[in-house]
Amino acid sequence: MGPALLLLLAVLAPALSPARAAPAADEVSFLPGLAKQPAFRHFSGYLRLAPGRRLHYWFVEAQSSPETRPLVLWLNGGPGCSSMDGLLTEHGPFLVQPDGASLRYNDYAWNRVANVLYVESPLGVGFSYSDDKRYATNDTEVAHNNYLALKEFLRLFPEYSNNDLYLAGESYAGVYVPTLAQWVMQDPSLKLKGLAVGNGLSSYETNDNSLVYFAYYHGLLGTQLWQDLQTFCCSQGKCNFHDNRSLNCTLKMMEMIKIVDESGLNIYNLYAPCAGGVPGAFRYEGSQLITHDLGNSFIRHSLKFSWRQNLLQMPVAKKAVRLDPPCTNTTAISNFLNSPEVRKALHIAPEVPEWQLCNFEVNRSYKRLYTTMNDQYLKLLGTGKYRILVYNGDVDMACNFLGDEWFVDSLGQKVQVNRRPWLYKDGGVDQIGGFVKEFTNIAFLTVKGAGHMVPTDQPQAAFTMFSRFIHCQPY
């Protein structure tokens, strides 16, 4: 074979190679629990960040025309909770059933309109692991690792390198997504088009201050407690429920928070029942406040003068309440993912520890470096290149809609469409899905009757919202 022919073959090789370069070893050929295997392809495996450091991913191709559909990276929050929750209980193509063994197809799966990549992040979460088992991390390291994971995914799946890219997530992904976007926007090889953050932790201050109003106007606080909060936490027409140094304010906030997240109300959906019922007693662990949940913002070790810190300094608060994911039944998804047959199907090595919804070690040792995402959003918006959707279920108390609305308003962007209802079709009939306010390149949207996990509570409305966002259609 002459040199000229070799050169010609080298030039033609990319064109002659298969269009789909996805790693065959990661393809899920049979998923237990399904009555019928899907027509679309899906993959599960590991994204290697460095030797001995692996993030587990589960990638579902779009149900039609995956080669032209956008690629969406999805992250759940915590910090320390698994994105398998998003896949198997929220907007994935198959939803785990109460028996913990079977799955049903989701009529409102987001992979109807996009390729969706679910990544279990940080290391130590779900099936993700590090050989050295050192899981202490922080916002900056996690953002960089998520960027490395995305790059590794596109190395394994180069056919998606030129697809439009969206970053999405919920809860503490209110931090994960904008900080990851800071890396992605600097990489011209990535076709970033936008961000979507659901019930995100965008600002501790606005989330705390707004929660008191949310609680009072949803009938949770009596008139006397409300008046006391106004008296002790407010002055000159402005209230500070977030880091007020007044002992009287702190004591009243203690009463308020006992009602909101320690009384048996479902903090993720005010109007949903609490799995397991109202707790009869609380467990204690040392003197450190540990709240293990899917996004409650009251894990604020870094804020010196927060009212929670004031409480910890008081003699009556030598021990703090430890909450496992409150009102959340994780039995079905845990049983499913820990099934030996499922682990084998997902290519999980036998030595990988048992899957848990949230890794408390990761949560406990996680260092939060930001108190607000203001700078990150302003940098993204300043480019004029990206569309951002901030959406909230309107009955969530962990990251309530009012706080995120205040946060988006505070960014000072030009209003394009005043706050108005948005509609979706239900059985051919228009229904109000919630309310939306649109600014230049960013929109704030509520989903009526949804809690922290919007697609779980209002799947049809959530799919309509997501589809319009992806397709650049008016809400």
Side-chain angles (χ1 to χ4, degrees):
M1 187 179 292
L5 184 55
L6 284 171
L7 179 61
L8 178 62
L9 287 174
V11 172
L12 292 177
L16 296 174
S17 63
R20 318 288 288 282
D26 286 359
E27 184 165 3
V28 180
S29 58
F30 178 84
L31 183 63
L34 287 173
K36 180 182 178 182
Q37 296 301 305
F40 57 87
R41 300 201 302 171
H42 60 122
F43 301 79
S44 171
Y46 283 94
L47 304 172
R48 290 165 175 79
L49 306 179
R53 294 165 65 83
R54 297 174 175 86
L55 291 181
H56 173 245
Y57 81 92
W58 192 343
F59 172 59
V60 293
E61 287 189 341
Q63 295 183 23
S64 63
S65 306
E67 63 278 357
T68 61
R69 300 285 189 178
L71 171 65
V72 177
L73 168 63
W74 175 267
L75 298 166
N76 277 83
C81 296
S82 168
S83 296
M84 296 302 96
D85 195 46
L87 195 160
L88 292 172
T89 74
E90 297 189 61
H91 46 64
F94 7 77
L95 302 176
V96 69
Q97 296 304 285
D99 62 9
S102 59
L103 301 171
R104 70 167 175 85
Y105 281 101
N106 181 5
D107 292 337
Y108 303 106
W110 287 10
N111 81 320
R112 286 174 54 186
V113 294
N115 303 285
V116 188
L117 169 63
Y118 298 86
V119 177
E120 295 196 280
S121 176
L123 290 163
V125 172
F127 292 132
S128 297
Y129 68 96
S130 176
D131 287 347
D132 62 14
K133 295 182 173 57
R134 294 179 181 175
Y135 297 129
T137 189
N138 59 61
D139 292 328
T140 300
E141 183 179 39
V142 168
H144 187 224
N145 283 346
N146 287 338
Y147 167 73
L148 294 177
L150 177 60
K151 294 290 285 185
E152 174 68 1
F153 172 81
L154 291 173
R155 186 187 70 80
L156 296 174
F157 294 80
E159 62 269 35
Y160 291 105
S161 296
N162 291 318
N163 293 48
D164 288 348
L165 172 65
Y166 291 87
L167 308 177
E170 73 186 15
S171 191
Y172 199 78
V175 174
Y176 291 161
V177 168
T179 53
L180 169 59
Q182 299 291 283
W183 283 94
V184 174
M185 69 186 289
Q186 298 177 62
D187 187 336
S189 72
L190 300 174
K191 314 300 181 186
L192 181 63
K193 297 298 180 182
L195 287 65
V197 175
N199 289 75
L201 179 56
S202 304
S203 163
Y204 290 102
E205 183 175 0
T206 58
N207 196 47
D208 286 1
N209 282 331
S210 59
L211 179 60
V212 181
Y213 291 93
F214 180 101
Y216 177 64
Y217 287 108
H218 281 81
L220 307 186
L221 311 182
T223 303
Q224 186 59 56
L225 177 54
W226 174 248
Q227 289 176 350
D228 289 344
L229 285 164
Q230 299 290 301
T231 300
F232 298 126
C233 305
C234 307
S235 64
Q236 298 179 337
K238 184 175 182 180
C239 297
N240 178 7
F241 305 114
H242 166 64
D243 57 359
N244 201 309
R245 302 189 192 195
S246 162
L247 178 60
N248 285 328
C249 177
T250 298
L251 289 169
K252 293 303 170 183
M253 286 297 294
M254 182 179 181
E255 291 183 40
M256 192 280 295
I257 209 61
K258 279 184 176 178
I259 295 168
V260 170
D261 72 350
E262 296 175 12
S263 67
L265 291 172
N266 189 331
I267 194 169
Y268 301 118
N269 184 328
L270 174 58
Y271 299 130
C274 183
V278 175
F282 297 101
R283 291 184 288 116
Y284 296 88
E285 184 173 307
S287 60
Q288 183 183 17
L289 173 67
I290 303 169
T291 57
H292 292 137
D293 57 55
L294 301 177
N296 187 349
S297 69
F298 298 115
I299 315 169
R300 256 197 331 277
H301 305 296
S302 61
L303 299 189
K304 184 176 181 182
F305 294 112
S306 73
W307 61 266
R308 279 264 193 189
Q309 294 299 318
N310 288 348
L311 285 179
L312 293 176
Q313 294 164 12
M314 294 169 59
V316 296
K318 291 181 180 178
K319 293 186 177 181
V321 174
R322 168 178 170 171
L323 298 175
D324 288 345
C327 300
T328 304
N329 186 345
T330 64
T331 302
I333 187 173
S334 297
N335 286 347
F336 179 78
L337 288 172
N338 286 314
S339 158
E341 294 77 18
V342 172
R343 286 172 61 110
K344 183 179 179 181
L346 298 180
H347 313 118
I348 307 302
E351 63 270 18
V352 174
E354 179 180 89
W355 185 91
Q356 294 180 320
L357 179 62
C358 299
N359 184 315
F360 299 156
E361 179 189 346
V362 172
N363 179 282
R364 200 167 17 234
S365 59
Y366 192 99
K367 187 173 182 180
R368 300 166 182 238
L369 303 178
Y370 302 103
T371 59
T372 177
M373 287 290 102
N374 186 278
D375 289 347
Q376 286 78 6
Y377 275 93
L378 289 176
K379 285 179 183 176
L380 289 160
L381 291 167
T383 67
K385 295 179 181 179
Y386 313 114
R387 293 183 302 110
I388 301 175
L389 171 63
V390 176
Y391 67 92
N392 284 66
D394 64 7
V395 292
D396 174 33
M397 296 191 293
C399 297
N400 73 87
F401 81 92
L402 190 57
D404 275 329
E405 185 165 10
W406 288 357
F407 172 77
V408 173
D409 284 343
S410 76
L411 296 174
Q413 303 302 294
K414 183 178 180 182
V415 176
Q416 300 289 346
V417 181
N418 288 322
R419 201 176 197 274
R420 60 170 178 81
W422 66 275
L423 308 178
Y424 72 101
K425 294 284 186 184
D426 183 9
V429 178
D430 282 335
Q431 297 288 350
I432 292 181
F435 294 84
V436 63
K437 184 177 182 180
E438 297 180 57
F439 305 80
T440 304
N441 291 331
I442 185 168
F444 173 76
L445 180 146
T446 66
V447 182
K448 181 173 68 72
H452 197 63
M453 284 67 81
V454 169
T456 301
D457 296 334
Q458 297 293 340
Q460 190 171 357
F463 174 77
T464 302
M465 169 201 73
F466 177 74
S467 181
R468 289 174 184 169
F469 172 66
I470 288 294
H471 292 123
C472 305
Q473 296 170 340
Y475 298 106

